[in-house]
Amino acid sequence: MSPADPVRRVALALLAAAALLPAAALAQTPAPIRIGLIAPLSGGSADFGTSVRNGAELALAEINAVGGYLGRPLELVVRDDKANPDAGRAAAEDLVLKEKVAYTIGFCNTGVALRALDVFETAKHLLMVPCSQGTAVTTKTPPAQSHVFRLAPADHMNARFLVREVVERRGLKRVALLADRTGYGDGGVKDLTAELEKRQLKPVYEGRFDLGTRNLTEQLQAARAAGAEALINYTVGPEQAAAVKSRAAMGWKVPYFAPWPLSFASVLKDAGADALEGTLMAQSVIQDGANERRASFLARYTRLHPTEKPIGSLMAAAQSYDAVHLMLRALFQTRGDTRGPALKAALEDLQEPYRGVVSTFDRPFSKDDHDAFSDRMIWLGEWRNGRIVYHYPADAKMSSVLRRKGE
């Protein structure tokens, strides 16, 4: 099956549906389906926010090239949340209450998402989160009543994955936690601590810091003094760079683990390849040539956004791209009904699988589960010579296989 097959299938479906429309309807200029998009396009989180927007733009370009939804083009209405909770809420209110977009794709920063969630829930407006991983994003409101869905690994999965790697696979018991003082950091510490407690362990040190911190030597020295055998750092790109630079300056070779923000291109630019060498992070997708669908996506993405080299966040771009295509399938299932309850019901019972860049999504959601990922869809990535690669050779050999949630 070629990488273009999913697009061809959409095109054939569109042509078949269009053939059933009366000639008068086809002659009219179709109104676009307006989709809200909220992401941090400026500030310290702009690298993954820009990737979210660019991934969505690529998906829209493909869909519109074959006729959009039954001849109706898809159109993005973009808002910059600046990684600021108040700005994120204002953007949500603007898109939902004023612009009245059909549905919204958005949020990278957990604290920003949490501040805005009730806007979507109160209005019964469908929100698809392609980026923010905070556990509370899809659990603040029970899924059965919620209109919030996510196409990204939840942090309780990342925490479980990292603690299993550190404690069970490597046998390291003395774990130090670092985290910023945001909703993201709070959630990460909560999830990691809970996973350690399941193994009768406690962090030997917990170091918190504010966003904007450029030197974490004090926290790292305290972790070393506490006898830490491993570090797990929950924060976004700039502060990941600060931590690895401080660690390198100390000459401390303790194993360093993090969730996905460690993989951002801005971290490499700020910290340098030497400081990052050997550090490890949870990933939903890693760039490689073995998977035809991913290789095709990367080629098309680069053609559409040639100045973004390297991609700010491959995960954010791929998950946003997949989110747009998955929502198109929900639209077909509702026959174009964009009301939140209709889209919610469709997503909870998707009839057709979608072969995406990150995975094949086959019934990814249910009434009781609005997270499209499971633990087995996470890989361990490693910075090596300025590139992110699979840490385990066995994973690299399996990279041509798209892991599914239910398998």
Side-chain angles (χ1 to χ4, degrees):
M1 182 181 293
S2 74
D5 279 345
V7 178
R8 290 197 188 102
R9 286 197 294 270
V10 173
L12 291 173
L14 291 169
L15 291 172
L20 301 177
L21 295 175
L26 289 172
Q28 296 175 357
T29 301
I33 296 176
R34 301 168 74 239
I35 304 166
L37 187 139
I38 304 174
L41 303 176
S42 58
S45 295
D47 43 5
F48 60 136
T50 299
S51 296
V52 161
R53 181 192 62 195
N54 291 350
E57 287 179 348
L58 174 59
L60 259 69
E62 293 177 354
I63 293 166
N64 288 337
V66 294
Y69 171 76
L70 300 183
R72 297 180 64 185
L74 306 187
E75 177 184 294
L76 283 181
V77 184
V78 180
R79 296 292 182 269
D80 179 7
D81 65 33
K82 305 174 184 177
N84 178 282
D86 291 334
R89 184 180 179 88
E93 291 173 341
D94 181 44
L95 292 176
V96 174
L97 304 177
K98 181 180 177 182
E99 296 289 345
K100 298 188 182 300
V101 296
Y103 54 88
T104 299
I105 293 172
F107 296 111
C108 290
N109 304 87
T110 295
V112 180
L114 292 175
R115 180 79 172 87
L117 289 184
D118 66 296
V119 174
F120 301 94
E121 301 289 23
T122 300
K124 296 184 178 180
H125 179 99
L126 200 291
L127 171 66
M128 177 65 74
V129 180
C131 197
S132 171
Q133 298 187 6
T135 299
V137 170
T138 50
T139 58
K140 185 177 181 181
T141 299
Q145 290 81 47
S146 178
H147 290 77
V148 177
F149 293 75
R150 175 162 49 197
L151 204 70
D155 267 334
H156 69 87
M157 299 176 194
N158 291 318
R160 190 158 53 235
F161 176 84
L162 291 172
V163 171
R164 283 174 178 166
E165 175 67 28
V166 173
V167 176
E168 296 178 9
R169 194 160 191 170
R170 296 170 183 252
L172 305 177
K173 308 296 184 183
R174 300 184 62 80
V175 182
L177 305 183
L178 303 180
D180 59 41
R181 294 189 181 96
T182 67
Y184 181 59
D186 292 344
V189 168
K190 180 180 178 181
D191 290 333
L192 288 166
T193 300
E195 287 298 323
L196 289 171
E197 286 178 348
K198 291 177 183 177
R199 296 157 177 82
Q200 290 77 52
L201 297 173
K202 292 183 178 180
V204 297
Y205 171 75
E206 181 183 312
R208 304 300 296 270
F209 51 87
D210 295 325
L211 288 183
T213 298
R214 303 303 299 166
N215 189 308
L216 287 168
T217 301
E218 180 181 346
Q219 289 86 349
L220 292 175
Q221 286 177 338
R224 183 164 62 181
E229 299 173 319
L231 291 172
I232 305 178
N233 189 9
Y234 253 75
T235 189
V236 289
E239 289 69 35
Q240 290 287 355
V244 297
K245 285 193 292 185
S246 296
R247 171 175 167 268
M250 291 168 55
W252 193 24
K253 300 297 184 180
V254 65
Y256 184 104
F257 299 85
W260 71 300
L262 183 64
S263 67
F264 296 172
S266 62
V267 180
L268 174 63
K269 181 179 179 180
D270 190 358
D274 289 345
L276 280 169
E277 186 71 13
T279 58
L280 302 151
M281 81 296 292
Q283 293 280 275
S284 68
V285 59
I286 293 174
Q287 183 170 344
D288 65 80
N291 185 287
E292 192 177 7
R293 180 73 168 131
R294 291 176 191 154
S296 174
F297 164 78
L298 288 165
R300 287 177 283 118
Y301 186 99
T302 301
R303 282 197 299 269
L304 189 63
H305 302 288
T307 61
E308 191 188 354
K309 292 182 179 179
I311 296 175
S313 169
L314 175 58
M315 277 181 60
Q319 288 164 189
S320 179
Y321 173 91
D322 282 346
V324 173
H325 276 286
L326 203 62
M327 288 303 302
L328 178 66
R329 281 144 180 83
L331 271 177
F332 273 108
Q333 199 163 307
T334 66
R335 300 178 182 236
D337 188 345
T338 60
R339 292 175 300 163
L343 291 171
K344 167 181 164 68
L347 287 172
E348 290 174 344
D349 187 28
L350 281 173
Q351 299 299 304
E352 296 293 334
Y354 161 58
R355 184 170 180 257
V357 176
V358 176
S359 178
T360 293
F361 296 97
D362 188 1
R363 296 188 177 274
F365 306 111
S366 70
K367 292 181 179 179
D368 300 317
D369 183 2
H370 284 190
D371 278 302
F373 278 73
S374 64
D375 292 27
R376 70 178 313 281
M377 295 164 68
I378 303 174
W379 308 88
L380 187 64
E382 177 183 351
W383 277 109
R384 196 180 300 161
N385 299 318
R387 293 181 62 248
I388 295 172
V389 299
Y390 293 92
H391 175 67
Y392 290 109
D395 286 347
K397 293 178 181 178
M398 289 291 293
S399 65
S400 62
V401 178
L402 289 171
R403 291 180 174 178
R404 303 188 187 203
K405 180 178 179 179
E407 295 179 353

